[in-house]
Amino acid sequence: GESVGLHLPTLSVQEGDNSIINCAYSNSASDYFIWYKQESGKGPQFIIDIRSNMDKRQGQRVTVLLNKTVKHLSLQIAATQPGDSAVYFCAENKGDSWGKLQFGAGTQVVVTP
Amino acid sequence: DTAVSQTPKYLVTQMGNDKSIKCEQNLGHDTMYWYKQDSKKFLKIMFSYNNKELIINETVPNRFSPKSPDKAHLNLHINSLELGDSAVYFCASSQVAGKNIQYFGAGTRLSVL
C-alpha cells in the first residue's frame, strides 16, 4: 500500500505474481511517457515508452497502459522476479520539443520469495 | 564499453569548495542532460545540451555551470558548494533532442560537509 512522508510508496509482490505500478500524470498536454527502473546505487534504466497516440505497448514481460481520459499510466510486470526489485519511475514530456522529462515520485517494488 | 560514464562516482568535499563532475557518452548521441536526485529519490532535470548548445536551463543557482566541449561530453562545475547541494547527480544522453529515450549514467554521489 501507499505511505506518506519521507518514504516512497511501496509495492510488495510475491515472486511469480504480476505487478502493477500506477502513475498519475499532471498535464493533459503531455504526449510522451516513459518508465524507468532504478536499482540501488545505479542510474535509471529504460524499460518502455509510449506516445499519446497509443493506449498500450508491450515489451518483454512488461506492458504499459495509457489512459488519457483520467491521465493515468500503469506499468505491468508479468511473472515478477527477484531482479525486478527496484524503484520504478514514470516520466512525462509535457509537449516540450526539447525532451524535458518530468519524473514522478517513484514506487519501490519489493519482490518476496 | 559503458555507454554513459560519469566521474567521479563519489565526491566528498567541504562547504565553499569548487568541484567538477565529468560525463562522457559513446553512443553518438546529440543531446546530453544533467539531473539531480535528492534524498527522497526525486529526479529533476537541471540542464540539457544539444550539439554543444544549451537548450534546457532549469531554475538552478548560477553556482552551477555546465560545459560541453563537444557533443560527447557534458561537464558540470559547481562553485561555492553548499550543504544543500548534497545529492546524486546523473548525466544522461539521447539520440536527438525531443521525445526520445534518455540513457543514464551510474551517478555521482556528492556529499558536502
Side-chain angles (χ1 to χ4, degrees):
Chain A
E2 279 199 14
S3 58
V4 295
L6 297 178
H7 304 287
L8 288 173
T10 300
L11 177 67
S12 290
V13 184
Q14 197 150 17
E15 184 177 354
D17 285 353
N18 296 335
S19 305
I20 300 178
I21 306 163
N22 294 305
C23 182
Y25 63 93
S26 57
N27 194 324
S28 54
S30 293
D31 55 2
Y32 177 71
F33 304 87
I34 189 165
W35 281 97
Y36 283 93
K37 170 187 179 185
Q38 187 178 20
E39 296 174 270
S40 182
K42 296 185 179 179
Q45 178 187 353
F46 167 74
I47 303 173
I48 192 166
D49 59 354
I50 188 168
R51 297 181 190 272
S52 59
N53 60 353
M54 301 173 72
D55 297 325
K56 179 179 179 178
R57 193 164 187 220
Q58 288 184 288
Q60 190 177 10
R61 281 202 307 121
V62 294
T63 301
V64 56
L65 298 177
L66 175 61
N67 186 330
K68 294 179 285 292
T69 304
V70 295
K71 293 188 284 188
H72 184 266
L73 194 66
S74 67
L75 178 72
Q76 301 177 1
I77 305 173
T80 311
Q81 302 168 0
D84 295 327
S85 292
V87 178
Y88 289 79
F89 293 96
C90 65
E92 61 182 300
N93 177 284
K94 296 183 174 182
D96 165 74
S97 59
W98 293 120
K100 185 162 68 175
L101 289 177
Q102 177 157 319
F103 279 78
T107 298
Q108 176 83 58
V109 172
V110 177
V111 181
T112 57
Chain B
D1 61 343
T2 307
V4 182
S5 57
Q6 301 177 223
T7 53
K9 189 166 174 62
Y10 301 97
L11 190 49
V12 181
T13 189
Q14 301 285 336
M15 268 197 313
N17 284 350
D18 303 338
K19 289 293 178 186
S20 292
I21 307 171
K22 297 189 175 195
C23 180
E24 176 182 5
Q25 54 94 4
N26 63 5
L27 297 166
H29 288 171
D30 284 349
T31 310
M32 296 184 72
Y33 310 81
W34 277 111
Y35 285 84
K36 178 180 181 180
Q37 186 172 48
D38 63 21
S39 58
K40 298 179 188 175
K41 296 280 191 185
F42 184 66
L43 260 170
K44 185 165 169 50
I45 190 162
M46 300 171 69
F47 302 103
S48 176
Y49 272 73
N50 183 61
N51 278 321
K52 301 192 296 174
E53 288 194 27
L54 182 67
I55 57 170
I56 295 174
N57 186 356
E58 290 295 279
T59 308
V60 175
N62 56 15
R63 297 181 295 104
F64 289 78
S65 53
K67 281 191 173 49
S68 182
D70 54 63
K71 69 176 192 177
H73 295 85
L74 180 61
N75 304 322
L76 183 65
H77 187 76
I78 315 170
N79 288 327
S80 303
L81 278 154
E82 299 178 358
L83 292 176
D85 298 331
S86 295
V88 183
Y89 292 84
F90 287 101
C91 177
S93 74
S94 63
Q95 191 165 14
V96 293
K99 301 167 185 57
N100 287 275
I101 301 166
Q102 294 179 21
Y103 296 89
F104 284 75
T108 295
R109 182 173 292 276
L110 172 65
S111 299
V112 183
L113 308 177

